[in-house]
Amino acid sequence: MKFTSTARYIATDALTLAVNAAVTLERPLLVKGEPGTGKTELARQVAASLGLPLIEWHVKSTTRAQQGLYEYDAVSRLRDSQLGEARVQDVNAYIRKGKLWQAFEAAGKVVLLIDEVDKADIEFPNDLLQELDRMEFHVYETGETVRARHRPVVIITSNNEKDLPDAFLRRCFFHFIRFPDAETLRAIVGVHFPRIKEDLLAAALAQFYEIRDVPGLKKKPSTSEVLDWLKLILAEDLTAEDLRREGRSLLPKLHGALLKTEQDIHLFERLAFAARR
């Protein structure tokens, strides 16, 4: 199985190499990068490219590693026992399978996405070490051991909000998605907006990279945000000339798609004021 770019996703040579290396090594692929660079979408496109089903586990701040394996509803079982329910004798009726269990018992190979692993508690990655390494776990309530029928392709994403444990990193193949250069970004835009006019695209991307290069910017606009911006520009039927910023304001047209904090908007207003002086 070899991953390549798809009709909806442009992968750099380095990213393609990283995905295929992780598949060959049968190691989880840990993907980092600033938000909006296509980390989550990568898993979906890997599944599409390899022709495999996708199982998504989106991690939150309250997510526990155990939830990825299974959850045992002891409260419901206790209540049913008090009510004399017949199913109380079947422990399996009170076990809810997690995403890892679903991936392990799948009839064929699947892609398992563990999305934004750094959102959870720092112990979350450590609690999954053995399960991801050995591809098995024990169910204490039933005494069974669940083993992967087919080792899944595991893709783990992180926004780099927390440092991950060394023991966890050792078990992964790592790749950092760098922000695309102008040529790659053009190719990405071309996939989403194949009919965009060349002069409009050139003007928009030049302005976009200027914005990203402004010193002191708290949140630089990402790939997904430039795509949103271009979608709005096309919807408003703006031209390359329309994008030209007036001397009084350095803020781009429809800047709400690119600048997401009041600090960054105020920064551009201060720069405009300084330029006028």
Side-chain angles (χ1 to χ4, degrees):
M1 295 187 298
K2 291 291 184 181
F3 167 69
T4 59
S5 296
T6 67
R8 300 290 299 171
Y9 193 89
I10 300 295
T12 62
D13 291 342
L15 178 56
T16 301
L17 179 63
V19 172
N20 290 321
V23 171
T24 301
L25 293 172
E26 295 188 323
R27 293 279 191 182
L29 173 63
L30 174 61
V31 184
K32 290 188 179 183
E34 61 183 82
T37 49
K39 299 185 297 297
T40 302
E41 186 61 23
L42 171 65
R44 296 167 184 156
Q45 297 304 320
V46 168
S49 175
L50 301 181
L52 300 176
L54 173 66
I55 296 176
E56 301 187 32
W57 184 15
H58 299 284
V59 177
K60 301 179 181 179
S61 60
T62 55
T63 301
R64 294 176 293 107
Q66 180 65 31
Q67 293 172 308
L69 308 179
Y70 69 93
E71 290 184 281
Y72 171 59
D73 192 350
V75 175
S76 292
R77 193 180 188 198
L78 175 61
R79 183 180 63 246
D80 287 350
S81 68
Q82 293 170 339
L83 296 174
E85 295 284 349
R87 72 168 189 154
V88 75
Q89 302 301 323
D90 182 12
V91 178
N92 289 297
Y94 302 94
I95 290 179
R96 183 171 62 186
K97 298 176 181 179
K99 299 296 185 180
L100 266 72
W101 191 332
Q102 295 173 31
F104 286 4
E105 73 172 5
K109 203 173 189 69
V110 302
V111 174
L112 172 63
L113 167 65
I114 304 177
D115 197 29
E116 297 189 325
V117 68
D118 54 328
K119 274 188 175 180
D121 185 86
I122 190 61
E123 291 304 320
F124 179 90
N126 279 331
D127 292 342
L128 290 177
L129 285 179
Q130 297 303 319
E131 289 77 9
L132 291 176
D133 198 27
R134 297 181 181 177
M135 286 289 154
E136 65 178 40
F137 62 89
H138 187 70
V139 183
Y140 296 99
E141 290 75 13
T142 64
E144 68 177 309
T145 297
V146 177
R147 294 184 177 88
R149 297 172 64 182
H150 304 274
R151 195 175 185 98
V153 177
V154 182
I155 297 179
I156 304 170
T157 72
S158 169
N159 287 327
N160 225 9
E161 293 180 3
K162 296 177 185 173
D163 290 333
L164 298 175
D166 288 346
F168 181 78
L169 296 175
R170 183 177 65 80
R171 289 167 169 82
C172 298
F173 189 93
F174 173 74
H175 181 74
F176 182 85
I177 297 183
R178 300 183 184 280
F179 191 81
D181 57 29
E183 183 179 350
T184 304
L185 189 55
R186 273 179 170 271
I188 293 171
V189 171
V191 166
H192 293 270
F193 308 109
R195 298 181 180 177
I196 191 170
K197 294 180 180 178
E198 177 58 32
D199 62 335
L200 177 60
L201 177 59
L205 291 187
Q207 192 171 126
F208 173 72
Y209 276 105
E210 285 177 10
I211 293 169
R212 275 188 59 89
D213 290 340
V214 170
L217 207 59
K218 182 176 182 181
K219 183 195 176 304
K220 294 183 177 183
S222 66
T223 309
S224 64
E225 286 159 340
V226 72
L227 293 176
D228 287 344
W229 186 50
L230 288 169
K231 184 176 181 179
L232 288 174
I233 288 172
L234 293 173
E236 294 293 326
D237 199 23
L238 299 181
T239 66
E241 182 61 25
D242 292 329
L243 294 184
R244 189 174 63 84
R245 285 174 286 185
E246 310 241 347
R248 295 185 145 204
S249 175
L250 292 179
L251 286 170
K253 300 282 187 183
L254 304 166
H255 63 268
L258 299 175
L259 303 176
K260 301 299 179 68
T261 71
E262 62 275 20
Q263 294 97 317
D264 288 343
I265 292 175
H266 292 158
L267 172 62
F268 274 82
E269 290 173 343
R270 291 195 300 273
L271 291 174
F273 178 75
R276 289 199 301 271
R277 294 184 63 184

